[in-house]
Amino acid sequence: LRKVEALDAGHFVRVEWEDGSESRYPCVWLRDNCQCPDCFLRSAKARKLLFEDLDVNIVAKEVALADREKISITWPDEHMSEYEAEWLKKRCFSEKARAEMREDLFLPECQHWGSDLQLPQMPFEEIIYNDESAYKWLCTLKKVGIVLLTGAATQQGELVKLGHRIGFLRLTFYGPTWQVQDKAGANNVAYTTGKLCFHTDYPVLQHPPGVQFLHCIKQTDAGGESEVVDGFHVSNKLKKQNPEAFQILSSTAVDYTDVGVDYCDFAVQCKQRIIDVDSRGQAVRINYNNATRDTVFDIPAEKVRPFYAALKEFNDLLNSTEHKFTYKLKPGDIVTFDNWRVLHGRHSYPSGSTVTRHLEGAYADWDVVMSRLRLLRKKVLNRD
């Protein structure tokens, strides 16, 4: 730190750094984030200061350079706060600093792909027992959206190990894990031998699972190939090709339903937009499952056909040969993918008198996955 001063009648504090750059901090934010023991519980890294005790119009009474590594501020009630230079620098309000912090916290980089996907592969045992490999797996999963893990045992229970590796699995109405195989009286279209068109899992839940794991225990000789497509890449194509169709799919609330008995009995209803977008209009989640799209459709009748036309165009893009990637899981393979971004499907396969194809599936939430990623990064890169 080179210099510190109050600006704008004490409403801002300006810091000048050794390299000549500067940062401006609103005083209300500085007071809100006082790091002293009365205002901040260091053991929990949590704010103790009550919002009702915060004066949103507060100004700094006095600012000083405590030393070259921290600044001190005295407030009108004589409370004193100190802020370390490194802490302040990371939280600078400039566009560049905020972008760096976003990158550091959320890893927003997204590598789009089509039929040219080079499917990333890693040995299952490595990611279970080696922190660097696990960190690489989760970084790749976040960036590319899909990673194939190889060499798992061909028995149930391997996904439980994966759950323990990241933290814990997501429990749903189909259980902690679930078995994808041909079943009599199937309560889900996945539990048949028929073709599954491109879909994301569980849009009928208000918060669909973020990550999906599918472990191949037994594979059929004929058929049963898996297909994936990058939903964000296709959404961008649709937005350029037909902005009106994109607008319809990102604004129309579609009804989803799932009723039955499995882990317990269930009757689930939800409304989702096929393409969820953020404040900048960028796709952040795809919610598309034709099997569980309800017969109930809560929109005016005259808007129904334009919706179908928009969805048809999106579906055609998903299925185009330039966008979809086809592969066949081998026993011991575990495909891990972003269920908010990557739509998956399956070719049909012949039914038999015995089970010819068996996958075990499980879910995890992105909150759990990103938590483990950050902890592994700190450990692997020795970062504070």
Side-chain angles (χ1 to χ4, degrees), residues 99 102-112 138-145 232 338 341 366 370:
R102 277 197 302 274
E103 171 65 33
D104 190 51
L105 293 175
F106 300 107
L107 277 73
E109 186 184 355
C110 189
Q111 185 179 303
H112 291 150
L138 296 182
C139 283
T140 307
L141 181 62
K142 182 70 175 70
K143 182 178 178 178
V144 182
F232 291 173
D338 182 347
R341 170 185 172 186
W366 267 118
M370 288 300 294

mmCIF file with all atom_site columns, all heavy atoms in Angstrom, residues 99 102-112 138-145 232 338 341 366 370:
data_model
loop_
_atom_site.group_PDB
_atom_site.id
_atom_site.type_symbol
_atom_site.label_atom_id
_atom_site.label_alt_id
_atom_site.label_comp_id
_atom_site.label_asym_id
_atom_site.label_entity_id
_atom_site.label_seq_id
_atom_site.pdbx_PDB_ins_code
_atom_site.Cartn_x
_atom_site.Cartn_y
_atom_site.Cartn_z
_atom_site.occupancy
_atom_site.B_iso_or_equiv
_atom_site.pdbx_formal_charge
_atom_site.auth_seq_id
_atom_site.auth_comp_id
_atom_site.auth_asym_id
_atom_site.auth_atom_id
_atom_site.pdbx_PDB_model_num
ATOM 1   N N   . ALA A 1 99  ? -13.913 -9.841  -12.253 1.00 0.00 ? 99  ALA A N   1
ATOM 2   C CA  . ALA A 1 99  ? -13.844 -10.959 -13.200 1.00 0.00 ? 99  ALA A CA  1
ATOM 3   C C   . ALA A 1 99  ? -12.872 -12.032 -12.693 1.00 0.00 ? 99  ALA A C   1
ATOM 4   O O   . ALA A 1 99  ? -13.144 -13.237 -12.807 1.00 0.00 ? 99  ALA A O   1
ATOM 5   C CB  . ALA A 1 99  ? -13.411 -10.463 -14.573 1.00 0.00 ? 99  ALA A CB  1
ATOM 6   N N   . ARG A 1 102 ? -14.580 -13.922 -9.891  1.00 0.00 ? 102 ARG A N   1
ATOM 7   C CA  . ARG A 1 102 ? -15.567 -14.858 -10.445 1.00 0.00 ? 102 ARG A CA  1
ATOM 8   C C   . ARG A 1 102 ? -14.886 -16.117 -10.957 1.00 0.00 ? 102 ARG A C   1
ATOM 9   O O   . ARG A 1 102 ? -15.357 -17.237 -10.722 1.00 0.00 ? 102 ARG A O   1
ATOM 10  C CB  . ARG A 1 102 ? -16.347 -14.200 -11.600 1.00 0.00 ? 102 ARG A CB  1
ATOM 11  C CG  . ARG A 1 102 ? -17.505 -13.330 -11.176 1.00 0.00 ? 102 ARG A CG  1
ATOM 12  C CD  . ARG A 1 102 ? -18.456 -13.056 -12.343 1.00 0.00 ? 102 ARG A CD  1
ATOM 13  N NE  . ARG A 1 102 ? -17.811 -12.423 -13.476 1.00 0.00 ? 102 ARG A NE  1
ATOM 14  C CZ  . ARG A 1 102 ? -17.635 -11.114 -13.607 1.00 0.00 ? 102 ARG A CZ  1
ATOM 15  N NH1 . ARG A 1 102 ? -18.054 -10.286 -12.671 1.00 0.00 ? 102 ARG A NH1 1
ATOM 16  N NH2 . ARG A 1 102 ? -17.043 -10.617 -14.680 1.00 0.00 ? 102 ARG A NH2 1
ATOM 17  N N   . GLU A 1 103 ? -13.794 -15.927 -11.687 1.00 0.00 ? 103 GLU A N   1
ATOM 18  C CA  . GLU A 1 103 ? -13.040 -17.049 -12.233 1.00 0.00 ? 103 GLU A CA  1
ATOM 19  C C   . GLU A 1 103 ? -12.515 -17.939 -11.103 1.00 0.00 ? 103 GLU A C   1
ATOM 20  O O   . GLU A 1 103 ? -12.594 -19.165 -11.159 1.00 0.00 ? 103 GLU A O   1
ATOM 21  C CB  . GLU A 1 103 ? -11.875 -16.516 -13.082 1.00 0.00 ? 103 GLU A CB  1
ATOM 22  C CG  . GLU A 1 103 ? -10.865 -17.557 -13.536 1.00 0.00 ? 103 GLU A CG  1
ATOM 23  C CD  . GLU A 1 103 ? -11.456 -18.578 -14.495 1.00 0.00 ? 103 GLU A CD  1
ATOM 24  O OE1 . GLU A 1 103 ? -12.347 -18.214 -15.287 1.00 0.00 ? 103 GLU A OE1 1
ATOM 25  O OE2 . GLU A 1 103 ? -11.026 -19.744 -14.433 1.00 0.00 ? 103 GLU A OE2 1
ATOM 26  N N   . ASP A 1 104 ? -11.999 -17.296 -10.062 1.00 0.00 ? 104 ASP A N   1
ATOM 27  C CA  . ASP A 1 104 ? -11.415 -18.017 -8.938  1.00 0.00 ? 104 ASP A CA  1
ATOM 28  C C   . ASP A 1 104 ? -12.466 -18.815 -8.169  1.00 0.00 ? 104 ASP A C   1
ATOM 29  O O   . ASP A 1 104 ? -12.245 -19.953 -7.768  1.00 0.00 ? 104 ASP A O   1
ATOM 30  C CB  . ASP A 1 104 ? -10.729 -17.015 -7.997  1.00 0.00 ? 104 ASP A CB  1
ATOM 31  C CG  . ASP A 1 104 ? -9.889  -17.704 -6.933  1.00 0.00 ? 104 ASP A CG  1
ATOM 32  O OD1 . ASP A 1 104 ? -9.067  -18.549 -7.303  1.00 0.00 ? 104 ASP A OD1 1
ATOM 33  O OD2 . ASP A 1 104 ? -10.078 -17.410 -5.741  1.00 0.00 ? 104 ASP A OD2 1
ATOM 34  N N   . LEU A 1 105 ? -13.635 -18.232 -7.972  1.00 0.00 ? 105 LEU A N   1
ATOM 35  C CA  . LEU A 1 105 ? -14.673 -18.868 -7.152  1.00 0.00 ? 105 LEU A CA  1
ATOM 36  C C   . LEU A 1 105 ? -15.529 -19.873 -7.906  1.00 0.00 ? 105 LEU A C   1
ATOM 37  O O   . LEU A 1 105 ? -15.944 -20.885 -7.349  1.00 0.00 ? 105 LEU A O   1
ATOM 38  C CB  . LEU A 1 105 ? -15.586 -17.803 -6.536  1.00 0.00 ? 105 LEU A CB  1
ATOM 39  C CG  . LEU A 1 105 ? -14.983 -16.874 -5.488  1.00 0.00 ? 105 LEU A CG  1
ATOM 40  C CD1 . LEU A 1 105 ? -15.991 -15.812 -5.075  1.00 0.00 ? 105 LEU A CD1 1
ATOM 41  C CD2 . LEU A 1 105 ? -14.515 -17.662 -4.266  1.00 0.00 ? 105 LEU A CD2 1
ATOM 42  N N   . PHE A 1 106 ? -15.811 -19.601 -9.196  1.00 0.00 ? 106 PHE A N   1
ATOM 43  C CA  . PHE A 1 106 ? -16.823 -20.394 -9.898  1.00 0.00 ? 106 PHE A CA  1
ATOM 44  C C   . PHE A 1 106 ? -16.345 -21.117 -11.154 1.00 0.00 ? 106 PHE A C   1
ATOM 45  O O   . PHE A 1 106 ? -17.101 -21.888 -11.732 1.00 0.00 ? 106 PHE A O   1
ATOM 46  C CB  . PHE A 1 106 ? -18.014 -19.492 -10.258 1.00 0.00 ? 106 PHE A CB  1
ATOM 47  C CG  . PHE A 1 106 ? -18.677 -18.880 -9.053  1.00 0.00 ? 106 PHE A CG  1
ATOM 48  C CD1 . PHE A 1 106 ? -18.513 -17.527 -8.769  1.00 0.00 ? 106 PHE A CD1 1
ATOM 49  C CD2 . PHE A 1 106 ? -19.439 -19.658 -8.196  1.00 0.00 ? 106 PHE A CD2 1
ATOM 50  C CE1 . PHE A 1 106 ? -19.108 -16.965 -7.655  1.00 0.00 ? 106 PHE A CE1 1
ATOM 51  C CE2 . PHE A 1 106 ? -20.043 -19.098 -7.079  1.00 0.00 ? 106 PHE A CE2 1
ATOM 52  C CZ  . PHE A 1 106 ? -19.885 -17.756 -6.801  1.00 0.00 ? 106 PHE A CZ  1
ATOM 53  N N   . LEU A 1 107 ? -15.101 -20.868 -11.608 1.00 0.00 ? 107 LEU A N   1
ATOM 54  C CA  . LEU A 1 107 ? -14.575 -21.498 -12.824 1.00 0.00 ? 107 LEU A CA  1
ATOM 55  C C   . LEU A 1 107 ? -15.604 -21.479 -13.965 1.00 0.00 ? 107 LEU A C   1
ATOM 56  O O   . LEU A 1 107 ? -16.068 -22.514 -14.430 1.00 0.00 ? 107 LEU A O   1
ATOM 57  C CB  . LEU A 1 107 ? -14.164 -22.954 -12.534 1.00 0.00 ? 107 LEU A CB  1
ATOM 58  C CG  . LEU A 1 107 ? -12.788 -23.175 -11.915 1.00 0.00 ? 107 LEU A CG  1
ATOM 59  C CD1 . LEU A 1 107 ? -12.787 -22.756 -10.448 1.00 0.00 ? 107 LEU A CD1 1
ATOM 60  C CD2 . LEU A 1 107 ? -12.369 -24.615 -12.035 1.00 0.00 ? 107 LEU A CD2 1
ATOM 61  N N   . PRO A 1 108 ? -15.982 -20.301 -14.435 1.00 0.00 ? 108 PRO A N   1
ATOM 62  C CA  . PRO A 1 108 ? -17.056 -20.198 -15.432 1.00 0.00 ? 108 PRO A CA  1
ATOM 63  C C   . PRO A 1 108 ? -16.655 -20.586 -16.857 1.00 0.00 ? 108 PRO A C   1
ATOM 64  O O   . PRO A 1 108 ? -17.523 -20.678 -17.729 1.00 0.00 ? 108 PRO A O   1
ATOM 65  C CB  . PRO A 1 108 ? -17.443 -18.712 -15.368 1.00 0.00 ? 108 PRO A CB  1
ATOM 66  C CG  . PRO A 1 108 ? -16.189 -18.017 -14.931 1.00 0.00 ? 108 PRO A CG  1
ATOM 67  C CD  . PRO A 1 108 ? -15.488 -18.974 -14.019 1.00 0.00 ? 108 PRO A CD  1
ATOM 68  N N   . GLU A 1 109 ? -15.366 -20.838 -17.102 1.00 0.00 ? 109 GLU A N   1
ATOM 69  C CA  . GLU A 1 109 ? -14.943 -21.152 -18.472 1.00 0.00 ? 109 GLU A CA  1
ATOM 70  C C   . GLU A 1 109 ? -15.671 -22.385 -18.993 1.00 0.00 ? 109 GLU A C   1
ATOM 71  O O   . GLU A 1 109 ? -15.773 -23.401 -18.313 1.00 0.00 ? 109 GLU A O   1
ATOM 72  C CB  . GLU A 1 109 ? -13.425 -21.385 -18.525 1.00 0.00 ? 109 GLU A CB  1
ATOM 73  C CG  . GLU A 1 109 ? -12.911 -21.572 -19.943 1.00 0.00 ? 109 GLU A CG  1
ATOM 74  C CD  . GLU A 1 109 ? -11.430 -21.896 -20.000 1.00 0.00 ? 109 GLU A CD  1
ATOM 75  O OE1 . GLU A 1 109 ? -10.759 -21.888 -18.954 1.00 0.00 ? 109 GLU A OE1 1
ATOM 76  O OE2 . GLU A 1 109 ? -10.953 -22.169 -21.115 1.00 0.00 ? 109 GLU A OE2 1
ATOM 77  N N   . CYS A 1 110 ? -16.168 -22.286 -20.208 1.00 0.00 ? 110 CYS A N   1
ATOM 78  C CA  . CYS A 1 110 ? -16.989 -23.344 -20.792 1.00 0.00 ? 110 CYS A CA  1
ATOM 79  C C   . CYS A 1 110 ? -16.443 -23.688 -22.176 1.00 0.00 ? 110 CYS A C   1
ATOM 80  O O   . CYS A 1 110 ? -16.387 -22.831 -23.048 1.00 0.00 ? 110 CYS A O   1
ATOM 81  C CB  . CYS A 1 110 ? -18.438 -22.843 -20.879 1.00 0.00 ? 110 CYS A CB  1
ATOM 82  S SG  . CYS A 1 110 ? -19.630 -24.089 -21.321 1.00 0.00 ? 110 CYS A SG  1
ATOM 83  N N   . GLN A 1 111 ? -16.021 -24.920 -22.365 1.00 0.00 ? 111 GLN A N   1
ATOM 84  C CA  . GLN A 1 111 ? -15.486 -25.356 -23.656 1.00 0.00 ? 111 GLN A CA  1
ATOM 85  C C   . GLN A 1 111 ? -16.585 -26.095 -24.421 1.00 0.00 ? 111 GLN A C   1
ATOM 86  O O   . GLN A 1 111 ? -16.949 -27.215 -24.079 1.00 0.00 ? 111 GLN A O   1
ATOM 87  C CB  . GLN A 1 111 ? -14.286 -26.277 -23.419 1.00 0.00 ? 111 GLN A CB  1
ATOM 88  C CG  . GLN A 1 111 ? -13.562 -26.707 -24.675 1.00 0.00 ? 111 GLN A CG  1
ATOM 89  C CD  . GLN A 1 111 ? -12.375 -27.589 -24.333 1.00 0.00 ? 111 GLN A CD  1
ATOM 90  O OE1 . GLN A 1 111 ? -11.488 -27.194 -23.570 1.00 0.00 ? 111 GLN A OE1 1
ATOM 91  N NE2 . GLN A 1 111 ? -12.363 -28.803 -24.867 1.00 0.00 ? 111 GLN A NE2 1
ATOM 92  N N   . HIS A 1 112 ? -17.138 -25.442 -25.442 1.00 0.00 ? 112 HIS A N   1
ATOM 93  C CA  . HIS A 1 112 ? -18.241 -26.044 -26.205 1.00 0.00 ? 112 HIS A CA  1
ATOM 94  C C   . HIS A 1 112 ? -17.725 -27.117 -27.158 1.00 0.00 ? 112 HIS A C   1
ATOM 95  O O   . HIS A 1 112 ? -16.564 -27.095 -27.569 1.00 0.00 ? 112 HIS A O   1
ATOM 96  C CB  . HIS A 1 112 ? -18.982 -24.957 -26.994 1.00 0.00 ? 112 HIS A CB  1
ATOM 97  C CG  . HIS A 1 112 ? -19.744 -24.021 -26.120 1.00 0.00 ? 112 HIS A CG  1
ATOM 98  N ND1 . HIS A 1 112 ? -19.975 -22.700 -26.438 1.00 0.00 ? 112 HIS A ND1 1
ATOM 99  C CD2 . HIS A 1 112 ? -20.342 -24.204 -24.909 1.00 0.00 ? 112 HIS A CD2 1
ATOM 100 C CE1 . HIS A 1 112 ? -20.680 -22.115 -25.488 1.00 0.00 ? 112 HIS A CE1 1
ATOM 101 N NE2 . HIS A 1 112 ? -20.908 -23.014 -24.553 1.00 0.00 ? 112 HIS A NE2 1
ATOM 102 N N   . LEU A 1 138 ? -12.593 -32.973 -11.707 1.00 0.00 ? 138 LEU A N   1
ATOM 103 C CA  . LEU A 1 138 ? -13.670 -32.021 -11.437 1.00 0.00 ? 138 LEU A CA  1
ATOM 104 C C   . LEU A 1 138 ? -13.517 -30.741 -12.256 1.00 0.00 ? 138 LEU A C   1
ATOM 105 O O   . LEU A 1 138 ? -14.517 -30.168 -12.703 1.00 0.00 ? 138 LEU A O   1
ATOM 106 C CB  . LEU A 1 138 ? -13.724 -31.708 -9.935  1.00 0.00 ? 138 LEU A CB  1
ATOM 107 C CG  . LEU A 1 138 ? -14.083 -32.906 -9.044  1.00 0.00 ? 138 LEU A CG  1
ATOM 108 C CD1 . LEU A 1 138 ? -14.156 -32.478 -7.577  1.00 0.00 ? 138 LEU A CD1 1
ATOM 109 C CD2 . LEU A 1 138 ? -15.393 -33.552 -9.466  1.00 0.00 ? 138 LEU A CD2 1
ATOM 110 N N   . CYS A 1 139 ? -12.287 -30.294 -12.479 1.00 0.00 ? 139 CYS A N   1
ATOM 111 C CA  . CYS A 1 139 ? -12.055 -29.108 -13.330 1.00 0.00 ? 139 CYS A CA  1
ATOM 112 C C   . CYS A 1 139 ? -12.519 -29.383 -14.765 1.00 0.00 ? 139 CYS A C   1
ATOM 113 O O   . CYS A 1 139 ? -13.145 -28.528 -15.403 1.00 0.00 ? 139 CYS A O   1
ATOM 114 C CB  . CYS A 1 139 ? -10.576 -28.724 -13.336 1.00 0.00 ? 139 CYS A CB  1
ATOM 115 S SG  . CYS A 1 139 ? -10.023 -27.869 -11.857 1.00 0.00 ? 139 CYS A SG  1
ATOM 116 N N   . THR A 1 140 ? -12.215 -30.578 -15.266 1.00 0.00 ? 140 THR A N   1
ATOM 117 C CA  . THR A 1 140 ? -12.611 -30.955 -16.629 1.00 0.00 ? 140 THR A CA  1
ATOM 118 C C   . THR A 1 140 ? -14.123 -31.109 -16.721 1.00 0.00 ? 140 THR A C   1
ATOM 119 O O   . THR A 1 140 ? -14.750 -30.690 -17.705 1.00 0.00 ? 140 THR A O   1
ATOM 120 C CB  . THR A 1 140 ? -11.910 -32.258 -17.055 1.00 0.00 ? 140 THR A CB  1
ATOM 121 O OG1 . THR A 1 140 ? -10.503 -32.124 -16.852 1.00 0.00 ? 140 THR A OG1 1
ATOM 122 C CG2 . THR A 1 140 ? -12.184 -32.579 -18.519 1.00 0.00 ? 140 THR A CG2 1
ATOM 123 N N   . LEU A 1 141 ? -14.713 -31.702 -15.684 1.00 0.00 ? 141 LEU A N   1
ATOM 124 C CA  . LEU A 1 141 ? -16.171 -31.857 -15.638 1.00 0.00 ? 141 LEU A CA  1
ATOM 125 C C   . LEU A 1 141 ? -16.849 -30.496 -15.706 1.00 0.00 ? 141 LEU A C   1
ATOM 126 O O   . LEU A 1 141 ? -17.838 -30.312 -16.423 1.00 0.00 ? 141 LEU A O   1
ATOM 127 C CB  . LEU A 1 141 ? -16.562 -32.594 -14.356 1.00 0.00 ? 141 LEU A CB  1
ATOM 128 C CG  . LEU A 1 141 ? -18.050 -32.876 -14.126 1.00 0.00 ? 141 LEU A CG  1
ATOM 129 C CD1 . LEU A 1 141 ? -18.623 -33.774 -15.215 1.00 0.00 ? 141 LEU A CD1 1
ATOM 130 C CD2 . LEU A 1 141 ? -18.261 -33.502 -12.748 1.00 0.00 ? 141 LEU A CD2 1
ATOM 131 N N   . LYS A 1 142 ? -16.309 -29.512 -14.986 1.00 0.00 ? 142 LYS A N   1
ATOM 132 C CA  . LYS A 1 142 ? -16.889 -28.168 -14.978 1.00 0.00 ? 142 LYS A CA  1
ATOM 133 C C   . LYS A 1 142 ? -16.715 -27.475 -16.327 1.00 0.00 ? 142 LYS A C   1
ATOM 134 O O   . LYS A 1 142 ? -17.623 -26.806 -16.822 1.00 0.00 ? 142 LYS A O   1
ATOM 135 C CB  . LYS A 1 142 ? -16.241 -27.332 -13.868 1.00 0.00 ? 142 LYS A CB  1
ATOM 136 C CG  . LYS A 1 142 ? -16.794 -25.925 -13.708 1.00 0.00 ? 142 LYS A CG  1
ATOM 137 C CD  . LYS A 1 142 ? -18.209 -25.942 -13.156 1.00 0.00 ? 142 LYS A CD  1
ATOM 138 C CE  . LYS A 1 142 ? -18.754 -24.558 -12.868 1.00 0.00 ? 142 LYS A CE  1
ATOM 139 N NZ  . LYS A 1 142 ? -19.021 -23.771 -14.070 1.00 0.00 ? 142 LYS A NZ  1
ATOM 140 N N   . LYS A 1 143 ? -15.564 -27.649 -16.949 1.00 0.00 ? 143 LYS A N   1
ATOM 141 C CA  . LYS A 1 143 ? -15.235 -26.930 -18.184 1.00 0.00 ? 143 LYS A CA  1
ATOM 142 C C   . LYS A 1 143 ? -15.839 -27.585 -19.433 1.00 0.00 ? 143 LYS A C   1
ATOM 143 O O   . LYS A 1 143 ? -16.438 -26.904 -20.280 1.00 0.00 ? 143 LYS A O   1
ATOM 144 C CB  . LYS A 1 143 ? -13.708 -26.865 -18.338 1.00 0.00 ? 143 LYS A CB  1
ATOM 145 C CG  . LYS A 1 143 ? -13.220 -26.107 -19.558 1.00 0.00 ? 143 LYS A CG  1
ATOM 146 C CD  . LYS A 1 143 ? -11.702 -26.074 -19.550 1.00 0.00 ? 143 LYS A CD  1
ATOM 147 C CE  . LYS A 1 143 ? -11.136 -25.374 -20.761 1.00 0.00 ? 143 LYS A CE  1
ATOM 148 N NZ  . LYS A 1 143 ? -9.654  -25.317 -20.719 1.00 0.00 ? 143 LYS A NZ  1
ATOM 149 N N   . VAL A 1 144 ? -15.704 -28.899 -19.564 1.00 0.00 ? 144 VAL A N   1
ATOM 150 C CA  . VAL A 1 144 ? -16.149 -29.621 -20.765 1.00 0.00 ? 144 VAL A CA  1
ATOM 151 C C   . VAL A 1 144 ? -17.573 -30.151 -20.583 1.00 0.00 ? 144 VAL A C   1
ATOM 152 O O   . VAL A 1 144 ? -18.335 -30.259 -21.532 1.00 0.00 ? 144 VAL A O   1
ATOM 153 C CB  . VAL A 1 144 ? -15.170 -30.772 -21.110 1.00 0.00 ? 144 VAL A CB  1
ATOM 154 C CG1 . VAL A 1 144 ? -15.597 -31.493 -22.379 1.00 0.00 ? 144 VAL A CG1 1
ATOM 155 C CG2 . VAL A 1 144 ? -13.748 -30.240 -21.256 1.00 0.00 ? 144 VAL A CG2 1
ATOM 156 N N   . GLY A 1 145 ? -17.908 -30.500 -19.338 1.00 0.00 ? 145 GLY A N   1
ATOM 157 C CA  . GLY A 1 145 ? -19.260 -30.986 -19.058 1.00 0.00 ? 145 GLY A CA  1
ATOM 158 C C   . GLY A 1 145 ? -19.392 -32.490 -19.002 1.00 0.00 ? 145 GLY A C   1
ATOM 159 O O   . GLY A 1 145 ? -20.434 -33.010 -18.616 1.00 0.00 ? 145 GLY A O   1
ATOM 160 N N   . PHE A 1 232 ? -25.610 -26.168 -24.128 1.00 0.00 ? 232 PHE A N   1
ATOM 161 C CA  . PHE A 1 232 ? -25.265 -24.744 -24.178 1.00 0.00 ? 232 PHE A CA  1
ATOM 162 C C   . PHE A 1 232 ? -24.820 -24.356 -25.590 1.00 0.00 ? 232 PHE A C   1
ATOM 163 O O   . PHE A 1 232 ? -25.163 -23.287 -26.094 1.00 0.00 ? 232 PHE A O   1
ATOM 164 C CB  . PHE A 1 232 ? -24.156 -24.415 -23.168 1.00 0.00 ? 232 PHE A CB  1
ATOM 165 C CG  . PHE A 1 232 ? -24.589 -24.499 -21.731 1.00 0.00 ? 232 PHE A CG  1
ATOM 166 C CD1 . PHE A 1 232 ? -23.661 -24.374 -20.703 1.00 0.00 ? 232 PHE A CD1 1
ATOM 167 C CD2 . PHE A 1 232 ? -25.921 -24.690 -21.385 1.00 0.00 ? 232 PHE A CD2 1
ATOM 168 C CE1 . PHE A 1 232 ? -24.052 -24.434 -19.371 1.00 0.00 ? 232 PHE A CE1 1
ATOM 169 C CE2 . PHE A 1 232 ? -26.319 -24.758 -20.056 1.00 0.00 ? 232 PHE A CE2 1
ATOM 170 C CZ  . PHE A 1 232 ? -25.376 -24.637 -19.040 1.00 0.00 ? 232 PHE A CZ  1
ATOM 171 N N   . ASP A 1 338 ? -22.453 -33.126 -16.659 1.00 0.00 ? 338 ASP A N   1
ATOM 172 C CA  . ASP A 1 338 ? -23.211 -31.978 -16.163 1.00 0.00 ? 338 ASP A CA  1
ATOM 173 C C   . ASP A 1 338 ? -24.658 -32.111 -16.639 1.00 0.00 ? 338 ASP A C   1
ATOM 174 O O   . ASP A 1 338 ? -24.951 -31.901 -17.813 1.00 0.00 ? 338 ASP A O   1
ATOM 175 C CB  . ASP A 1 338 ? -22.561 -30.696 -16.719 1.00 0.00 ? 338 ASP A CB  1
ATOM 176 C CG  . ASP A 1 338 ? -23.235 -29.422 -16.242 1.00 0.00 ? 338 ASP A CG  1
ATOM 177 O OD1 . ASP A 1 338 ? -24.349 -29.497 -15.682 1.00 0.00 ? 338 ASP A OD1 1
ATOM 178 O OD2 . ASP A 1 338 ? -22.644 -28.332 -16.432 1.00 0.00 ? 338 ASP A OD2 1
ATOM 179 N N   . ARG A 1 341 ? -26.341 -29.137 -18.375 1.00 0.00 ? 341 ARG A N   1
ATOM 180 C CA  . ARG A 1 341 ? -25.799 -28.693 -19.667 1.00 0.00 ? 341 ARG A CA  1
ATOM 181 C C   . ARG A 1 341 ? -25.839 -29.785 -20.738 1.00 0.00 ? 341 ARG A C   1
ATOM 182 O O   . ARG A 1 341 ? -26.219 -29.523 -21.884 1.00 0.00 ? 341 ARG A O   1
ATOM 183 C CB  . ARG A 1 341 ? -24.337 -28.249 -19.457 1.00 0.00 ? 341 ARG A CB  1
ATOM 184 C CG  . ARG A 1 341 ? -23.577 -27.993 -20.746 1.00 0.00 ? 341 ARG A CG  1
ATOM 185 C CD  . ARG A 1 341 ? -22.119 -27.679 -20.471 1.00 0.00 ? 341 ARG A CD  1
ATOM 186 N NE  . ARG A 1 341 ? -21.345 -27.616 -21.695 1.00 0.00 ? 341 ARG A NE  1
ATOM 187 C CZ  . ARG A 1 341 ? -20.033 -27.470 -21.737 1.00 0.00 ? 341 ARG A CZ  1
ATOM 188 N NH1 . ARG A 1 341 ? -19.338 -27.358 -20.619 1.00 0.00 ? 341 ARG A NH1 1
ATOM 189 N NH2 . ARG A 1 341 ? -19.413 -27.437 -22.897 1.00 0.00 ? 341 ARG A NH2 1
ATOM 190 N N   . TRP A 1 366 ? -24.274 -29.686 -7.841  1.00 0.00 ? 366 TRP A N   1
ATOM 191 C CA  . TRP A 1 366 ? -23.104 -28.870 -8.172  1.00 0.00 ? 366 TRP A CA  1
ATOM 192 C C   . TRP A 1 366 ? -22.506 -28.210 -6.935  1.00 0.00 ? 366 TRP A C   1
ATOM 193 O O   . TRP A 1 366 ? -21.298 -28.006 -6.862  1.00 0.00 ? 366 TRP A O   1
ATOM 194 C CB  . TRP A 1 366 ? -23.461 -27.817 -9.224  1.00 0.00 ? 366 TRP A CB  1
ATOM 195 C CG  . TRP A 1 366 ? -23.187 -28.275 -10.623 1.00 0.00 ? 366 TRP A CG  1
ATOM 196 C CD1 . TRP A 1 366 ? -24.088 -28.434 -11.631 1.00 0.00 ? 366 TRP A CD1 1
ATOM 197 C CD2 . TRP A 1 366 ? -21.916 -28.656 -11.180 1.00 0.00 ? 366 TRP A CD2 1
ATOM 198 N NE1 . TRP A 1 366 ? -23.465 -28.893 -12.772 1.00 0.00 ? 366 TRP A NE1 1
ATOM 199 C CE2 . TRP A 1 366 ? -22.127 -29.034 -12.530 1.00 0.00 ? 366 TRP A CE2 1
ATOM 200 C CE3 . TRP A 1 366 ? -20.621 -28.727 -10.662 1.00 0.00 ? 366 TRP A CE3 1
ATOM 201 C CZ2 . TRP A 1 366 ? -21.099 -29.463 -13.360 1.00 0.00 ? 366 TRP A CZ2 1
ATOM 202 C CZ3 . TRP A 1 366 ? -19.583 -29.160 -11.493 1.00 0.00 ? 366 TRP A CZ3 1
ATOM 203 C CH2 . TRP A 1 366 ? -19.823 -29.519 -12.818 1.00 0.00 ? 366 TRP A CH2 1
ATOM 204 N N   . MET A 1 370 ? -18.600 -28.547 -6.505  1.00 0.00 ? 370 MET A N   1
ATOM 205 C CA  . MET A 1 370 ? -17.746 -27.353 -6.487  1.00 0.00 ? 370 MET A CA  1
ATOM 206 C C   . MET A 1 370 ? -17.059 -27.168 -5.138  1.00 0.00 ? 370 MET A C   1
ATOM 207 O O   . MET A 1 370 ? -15.931 -26.675 -5.065  1.00 0.00 ? 370 MET A O   1
ATOM 208 C CB  . MET A 1 370 ? -18.569 -26.110 -6.839  1.00 0.00 ? 370 MET A CB  1
ATOM 209 C CG  . MET A 1 370 ? -18.981 -26.038 -8.301  1.00 0.00 ? 370 MET A CG  1
ATOM 210 S SD  . MET A 1 370 ? -17.565 -26.007 -9.446  1.00 0.00 ? 370 MET A SD  1
ATOM 211 C CE  . MET A 1 370 ? -16.819 -24.422 -9.024  1.00 0.00 ? 370 MET A CE  1
#
